[in-house]
Amino acid sequence: MMNSLHEGAPTLIRREDYAAPAFLIDSVALTFDLDPAKTRVLNQMRVRRNPDVPAQALRLDGEDLNLARVLVNGAGTSFKLDGQQLVLENLPEGTEPFDLEIFTTCAPASNTQLMGLYVSQGTFFTQCEAEGFRRITYFLDRPDVMASYTVTLRADKATYPVLLSNGNLVEEGALEDGPNGPRHYAKWVDPHKKPCYLFALVAGQLVRREQKIIARNGQEHTLQIYVRAGDLDKTEHAMNSLMASIAWDEARFGLPLDLERFMIVATSDFNMGAMENKGLNIFNTKFVLANPATATDVDYANVESVVGHEYFHNWTGNRVTCRDWFQLSLKEGLTVFRDQEFSMDMVASASARAVKRIEDVRLLRTAQFAEDAGPMAHPIRPDQYQEINNFYTLTVYEKGAEVVRMMQTLVGRDGFARGMRLYFERHDGQAVTCDDFAQAIADANPDSHLALLLPQFKHWYSQAGTPRLHSQGEYDADAQTYTLTLSQSCPPSPGQPVKAPFVIPVAVGLLDAQGQDIPGTARTVVLSDTSASVVFEHVPSAPVPSILRGFSAPVVLQHAYTDAELLTLLAHDSDAFNRWEAGQRLALRLALAAIQADGDVPTEPLDSAYMDAMRAVLQAPQLDAAFKELVLTLPSETYIAEQLDMVDPQRIHAVREAMRLQLATALQTDWAHTFESHHDNGAYRPDPVSSGRRALVGLALHMLCLAARHSGDPVWPGKAYQRVKDAGNMTDRFQSLSALVSSGHELATAALERFHARFQREELVLDKWFALQAGAPDHGGHILPMVQQLLTHPDFHIKNPNRARSLIFSYCNANPGAFHRADGAGYTFWRDHVLAINAFNPQVAARLARALDRWRQLAEPYRSAACAAIEHVAAQPDLSNDVREVVTRALAD
Ligand code: B3K
Ligand code: ZN
């Protein structure tokens, strides 16, 4: 039976039911006797009644704990257990503080959920956000209860030489010997009050990289990154990223590091990317470890952005935290915005900034737009949930970041910095709401559109769904004016059939027929009504409008561009985002035409105008390689599917494959030239210029291998194989392997074997090896049997989330052409693995469950088969709350 099984109907938690806590906890002293099988936790709290709330019983949250003792002011007291809560009714009256001592035990070694205190490869770790602290001790497990923490860790010295918790190490030393030999302890005091979700401890055998830095005010800080022995040579990039993050937050927002000591610890077993525990960030190894031999350019970029993200939480999340979990985007949307800005500020050129923006928008439009159109759609500030862990979503994070970005657009960059200062002046040390944040930004900019339209702007917080921005232009040659009429609508989402208009900042500029910017036309139009017109004066000839530049709002732009206009934008727009976007629109248009045409999939879906444009991009000397790679990459199958009311995944797959093959064969000479002129650019450096070159070389090699598979020419596959053997870095090596695998070339098998043999002791590289195979293009249904075979591979471990994701998620979530099989076998696989994982790790299972969110959109026979698989899961009696919520919502009308 599931440990976290909640009896009866799952409860729905509602935002409107928020009530302040009846008790406050001023301080907590925790003493841990760490033992994998049975860890003893002594929790000594200083508690008082909240004077603002009517007197009532104290209800402490707990989960999977063994309770041994409860003392109030040193004496025994009556208590009862109500479900998982510990209820204390006979507490001292009045508002004087009292001592509450609770002694419990828990079993970290059998904690497979990886929430609370658990063991990974012999080391203790914690994960408390959102509600994991209750699995460590009884507590008011809610973010608006902030306390001072003192933590004493006691353990066997040989097995657990390193003992870490939040804050400063104030004492350490030997204890009396235990049955396994010498024992020791360490005592940590966190100088900052914090909610319990930011508590952390780590105990085990770790080595560290250390760096001292001097802040602007002259204060010294110690930065440490803890990893397993053998991984130290993979920590330099994370340390550099951390130092850059600290410097950036001081320079851009005036926010200094407020701790003497800042630690990052890496673990292989982690449900998500990383966690911002105060002063003791815990990271998935995937987002810390990187060296040129094992990590790709994408890994390097991810490490920088996740290290930045967690560090930035120190102010946006930790110093100012959330009042309740409905406010999650307060910290997550804002912190994603900050990490995006950080990554952009780290690169020198405008075009590298644009590349980062395109990548962020591509993720948003592919995955978040799909979420916003499906059964799990929710506003960035949700109104209700059954399981909060299901709401750590692309909507809360990525769309939340877009909402913050729109605020910055509306008040300007300086105005936004001013707003941030006011936010911290008002709320430092508090647990607050999204309203408080928006109010601070608006109040610091009283004359801005944001301040004038604030209540309406906040519809972005309360309404789900992706708005449609309709646009129409009319040129008046006599008056030399161009009138752009903008209007908005938003499709219904669960529980929200009708939407009020949003405030949409639309960055616009006009191009002349030669593609040059028409002076004086660039502006940001703020659409707040259902529709509005804007007139551009002194427009000498019919212009081409460049609308929603830089993707200035998270909307779907609908404008009836002609192909000629899109080609002009692609060739000339001074806004790099819209240049890329024009190419995507052209490709999408051709893809949709081929998908919707009757009869067989055309062998050449792309027209000559498109091919010529792509050739021109590839040959353009002034364009960056990274940008070329983005333009030459076709819209994904998932993105294409989102444009259709009825989805035939196999048809989409076949059309996109035909398009890829056409690009590969028709531009073969250009690909070869691109490869030759960009490859092998010296010693590995992860900067945007060299990583852009490598990305373009990788795409070229993919294309050349794809063309070769059809022509039978052995030259390029031979080169790719050679690079798998002797590439100087993982980016080149992995791209070469991937080119062979995704073109389905016969050399792929030998290359995969060679790669595996070489990296069999590198967990993160093996994850790539599994993911590559599970995510490869399907040829005649070969992927599923191969995935099933890989499940039995000695290196496959389903309980390790990274490994489960690399094989099972790569197949179900990231390979639509292989997953959606006419025989429904992909869905059966999904069903069985959702249930298998549900039995030991509900959070990971619920993520996998999301793979069938969009089943209603599917054509037959997929739709019925998917529905049956979901119904099968929903019918199980022992589902976790996490999975239950996802499948129930999927099946709801
Ligand atoms: N705040 C954590 C996420 C916690 C997820 C809990 N299910 C990481 C982050 O967003 O920085
Ligand atoms: Zn975060």
Side-chain angles (χ1 to χ4, degrees):
M1 174 132 73
M2 282 295 313
N3 281 335
S4 64
L5 180 66
H6 296 245
E7 281 156 30
T11 25
L12 200 60
I13 319 287
R14 291 174 212 277
R15 186 168 63 90
E16 63 190 21
D17 292 342
Y18 173 82
F23 290 81
L24 304 171
I25 303 175
D26 293 326
S27 66
V28 194
L30 296 170
T31 306
F32 289 83
D33 271 295
L34 293 165
D35 179 329
K38 186 177 178 182
T39 286
R40 295 184 298 166
V41 184
L42 175 64
N43 171 3
Q44 297 166 298
M45 291 172 274
R46 194 91 177 127
V47 183
R48 61 193 161 91
R49 293 181 187 271
N50 183 347
D52 303 332
V53 173
Q56 53 193 276
L58 172 58
R59 306 183 73 90
L60 297 171
D61 306 297
E63 194 176 294
D64 291 354
L65 298 172
N66 301 304
L67 177 60
R69 186 171 79 222
V70 184
L71 302 178
V72 173
N73 287 333
T77 185
S78 63
F79 61 84
K80 66 178 188 197
L81 287 168
D82 178 9
Q84 298 257 50
Q85 283 188 329
L86 173 64
V87 186
L88 300 170
E89 277 165 342
N90 300 315
L91 292 171
E93 285 172 17
T95 53
E96 281 304 298
F98 57 90
D99 291 326
L100 175 58
E101 178 175 316
I102 299 177
F103 188 77
T104 51
T105 65
C106 58
S110 45
N111 180 359
T112 56
Q113 298 184 29
L114 313 184
M115 282 296 279
L117 178 64
Y118 65 93
V119 178
S120 162
Q121 301 189 356
T123 297
F124 286 96
F125 292 96
T126 52
Q127 172 55 35
C128 293
E129 189 179 358
E131 297 176 336
F133 192 72
R134 64 186 62 184
R135 296 169 56 76
I136 297 175
T137 184
Y138 284 102
F139 206 72
L140 290 172
D141 191 355
R142 44 188 290 167
D144 57 351
V145 172
M146 297 167 90
S148 300
Y149 283 69
T150 301
V151 177
T152 306
L153 304 174
R154 299 149 57 99
D156 289 340
K157 187 164 185 176
T159 321
Y160 308 104
V162 174
L163 302 174
L164 307 176
S165 191
N166 318 81
N168 297 315
L169 178 64
V170 295
E171 222 180 290
E172 61 185 332
L175 293 168
E176 257 177 48
D177 283 5
N180 307 318
R183 287 173 62 75
H184 70 151
Y185 77 98
K187 184 172 174 185
W188 294 80
V189 175
D190 190 342
H192 298 277
K193 283 196 159 205
K194 64 171 176 286
C196 65
Y197 82 86
L198 293 173
F199 165 81
L201 77 78
V202 173
Q205 294 178 1
L206 300 165
V207 294
R208 71 171 187 231
R209 173 186 289 266
E210 183 170 296
Q211 176 82 46
K212 304 263 187 206
I213 57 163
I214 309 283
R216 289 186 167 195
N217 64 4
Q219 211 200 319
E220 189 183 81
H221 306 272
T222 304
L223 313 178
Q224 297 175 326
I225 300 182
Y226 289 83
V227 297
R228 278 190 306 256
D231 283 336
L232 217 45
D233 68 335
K234 303 190 187 94
T235 54
E236 187 186 356
H237 180 61
M239 184 61 89
N240 289 339
S241 302
L242 179 58
M243 289 192 290
S245 305
I246 295 169
W248 181 85
D249 218 8
E250 274 213 75
R252 171 102 183 239
F253 288 113
L255 298 173
L257 174 55
D258 60 2
L259 295 152
E260 287 163 39
R261 178 174 176 141
F262 190 90
M263 298 171 278
I264 287 178
V265 190
T267 173
S268 304
D269 293 286
F270 210 58
N271 282 346
M272 65 269 172
M275 178 65 211
E276 70 264 24
N277 315 301
K278 186 79 187 182
L280 181 57
N281 289 184
I282 297 182
F283 270 63
N284 188 326
T285 44
K286 182 174 164 63
F287 297 111
V288 186
L289 303 181
N291 70 18
T294 57
T296 62
D297 291 329
V298 172
D299 296 323
Y300 271 81
N302 286 342
V303 168
E304 180 183 87
S305 106
V306 179
V307 167
H309 181 98
E310 305 312 329
Y311 176 74
F312 303 140
H313 268 315
N314 193 47
W315 280 94
T316 49
N318 301 4
R319 287 286 287 247
V320 181
T321 194
C322 301
R323 185 192 73 172
D324 55 71
W325 291 121
F326 296 103
Q327 318 298 329
L328 185 57
S329 205
L330 170 79
K331 74 178 180 81
E332 294 305 346
L334 176 55
T335 305
V336 171
F337 168 77
R338 274 152 56 71
D339 83 52
Q340 291 175 346
E341 290 286 291
F342 164 63
S343 295
M344 280 198 255
D345 287 350
M346 284 297 101
V347 298
S349 70
S351 68
R353 291 179 71 91
V355 164
K356 167 70 178 152
R357 182 69 184 138
I358 291 166
E359 288 166 351
D360 291 340
V361 173
R362 199 163 59 172
L363 170 69
L364 181 87
R365 292 204 305 202
T366 308
Q368 194 280 325
F369 280 18
E371 176 165 88
D372 233 349
M376 282 292 286
H378 52 277
I380 65 166
R381 182 191 58 206
D383 288 313
Q384 52 190 46
Y385 60 76
Q386 287 175 31
E387 173 49 64
I388 183 56
N389 285 315
N390 285 332
F391 288 84
Y392 285 76
T393 55
L394 288 151
T395 298
V396 166
Y397 276 64
E398 309 301 321
K399 185 177 181 180
E402 293 301 319
V403 171
V404 174
R405 184 172 295 284
M406 286 190 287
M407 290 192 207
Q408 176 173 265
T409 302
L410 292 171
V411 302
R413 203 168 140 125
D414 293 343
F416 186 76
R418 201 161 48 238
M420 287 283 278
R421 279 198 294 279
L422 184 59
Y423 174 61
F424 289 111
E425 262 168 52
R426 284 183 180 171
H427 300 300
D428 190 11
Q430 299 174 7
V432 305
T433 63
C434 296
D435 288 328
D436 295 322
F437 176 75
Q439 195 66 52
I441 305 296
D443 287 352
N445 298 279
D447 301 323
S448 65
H449 278 107
L450 181 68
L452 300 174
L453 298 166
L454 188 62
Q456 196 195 341
F457 181 83
K458 290 203 292 192
H459 293 152
W460 285 111
Y461 282 97
S462 57
Q463 298 185 152
T466 307
R468 274 36 180 178
L469 174 66
H470 315 271
S471 136
Q472 213 176 2
E474 211 176 299
Y475 181 62
D476 182 335
D478 296 337
Q480 304 249 301
T481 57
Y482 181 76
T483 305
L484 194 64
T485 302
L486 300 172
S487 63
Q488 58 169 310
S489 62
C490 186
S493 30
Q496 295 185 328
V498 182
K499 315 281 172 77
F502 293 86
V503 175
I504 305 179
V506 188
V508 192
L510 303 182
L511 276 59
D512 65 21
Q514 284 69 46
Q516 299 307 302
D517 280 326
I518 301 177
T521 58
R523 65 193 67 169
T524 299
V525 180
V526 179
L527 176 67
S528 55
D529 295 326
T530 308
S531 108
S533 290
V534 45
V535 181
F536 296 80
E537 315 261 359
H538 312 299
V539 181
S541 58
V544 179
S546 172
I547 308 164
L548 208 67
R549 282 182 157 174
F551 201 67
S552 58
V555 300
V556 174
L557 169 64
Q558 297 179 335
H559 182 93
Y561 280 115
T562 63
D563 283 3
E565 287 176 318
L566 290 174
L567 289 165
T568 301
L569 291 168
L570 171 60
H572 301 289
D573 199 338
S574 59
D575 182 73
F577 177 85
N578 268 1
R579 234 177 138 168
W580 169 79
E581 171 69 342
Q584 295 290 298
R585 279 177 186 267
L586 285 166
L588 187 61
R589 197 170 273 188
L590 294 163
L592 295 177
I595 290 161
Q596 288 164 330
D598 292 332
D600 290 345
V601 169
T603 46
E604 299 202 333
L606 301 171
D607 60 17
S608 59
Y610 180 79
M611 297 306 295
D612 291 346
M614 289 301 118
R615 185 176 292 111
V617 168
L618 216 40
Q619 291 177 354
Q622 76 282 11
L623 289 177
D624 284 355
F627 182 74
K628 292 183 184 186
E629 193 270 340
L630 290 170
V631 174
L632 271 296
T633 299
L634 294 165
S636 68
E637 289 172 29
T638 309
Y639 185 66
I640 297 171
E642 283 306 313
Q643 320 303 316
L644 294 160
D645 294 329
M646 169 99 63
V647 171
D648 176 346
Q650 288 305 326
R651 177 111 187 156
I652 294 175
H653 178 63
V655 166
R656 190 172 183 277
E657 285 299 283
M659 290 165 79
R660 282 206 318 139
L661 184 59
Q662 189 182 351
L663 274 174
T665 43
L667 301 182
Q668 208 166 338
T669 325
D670 300 280
W671 290 123
H673 181 258
T674 300
F675 182 91
E676 298 299 355
S677 56
H678 287 81
H679 86 290
D680 193 19
N681 46 350
Y684 179 83
R685 290 196 311 132
D687 64 89
V689 174
S690 19
S691 68
R693 288 171 67 103
R694 281 187 291 268
L696 186 60
V697 162
L699 181 63
L701 194 57
H702 268 84
M703 290 295 172
L704 290 161
C705 287
L706 194 57
R709 181 175 141 87
H710 290 265
S711 68
D713 182 343
V715 172
W716 286 104
K719 278 197 195 190
Y721 188 77
Q722 193 59 36
R723 270 165 54 106
V724 174
K725 290 204 308 204
D726 62 17
N729 60 69
M730 180 50 83
T731 306
D732 289 343
R733 190 187 304 278
F734 191 70
Q735 276 171 347
S736 308
L737 180 65
S738 165
L740 290 172
V741 172
S742 72
S743 62
H745 198 275
E746 59 196 16
L747 282 173
T749 312
L752 281 164
E753 272 172 26
R754 178 175 276 275
F755 186 91
H756 178 271
R758 181 169 184 144
F759 293 105
Q760 54 190 323
R761 271 178 290 283
E762 296 287 350
E763 290 171 352
L764 296 171
V765 182
L766 285 188
D767 289 338
K768 295 183 202 306
W769 183 83
F770 279 105
L772 174 62
Q773 296 175 77
D778 203 26
H779 303 293
H782 80 293
I783 297 282
L784 178 59
M786 186 194 63
V787 168
Q788 274 159 335
Q789 189 60 40
L790 285 170
L791 287 171
T792 66
H793 193 284
D795 290 326
F796 183 73
H797 311 291
I798 197 170
K799 289 199 173 154
N800 173 252
N802 283 359
R803 197 53 56 82
R805 284 186 279 258
S806 73
L807 184 59
I808 299 169
F809 285 52
S810 296
Y811 174 65
C812 298
N813 289 26
N815 195 349
F819 177 56
H820 298 281
R821 295 165 55 109
D823 64 4
Y827 308 146
T828 309
F829 176 91
W830 168 87
R831 174 193 89 183
D832 294 345
H833 287 92
V834 169
L835 293 177
I837 299 173
N838 175 68
F840 60 86
N841 190 330
Q843 259 182 64
V844 173
R847 296 274 155 163
L848 179 61
R850 299 284 312 271
L852 276 179
D853 264 14
R854 301 287 278 140
W855 69 274
R856 281 183 199 278
Q857 212 194 0
L858 297 170
E860 293 295 357
Y862 310 100
R863 186 184 149 107
S864 297
C867 181
I870 303 168
E871 282 173 342
H872 179 96
V873 172
Q876 303 305 307
D878 52 357
L879 278 189
S880 61
N881 241 347
D882 309 56
V883 173
R884 164 106 29 233
E885 180 171 34
V886 172
V887 292
T888 309
R889 286 182 64 145
L891 294 172
D893 291 329

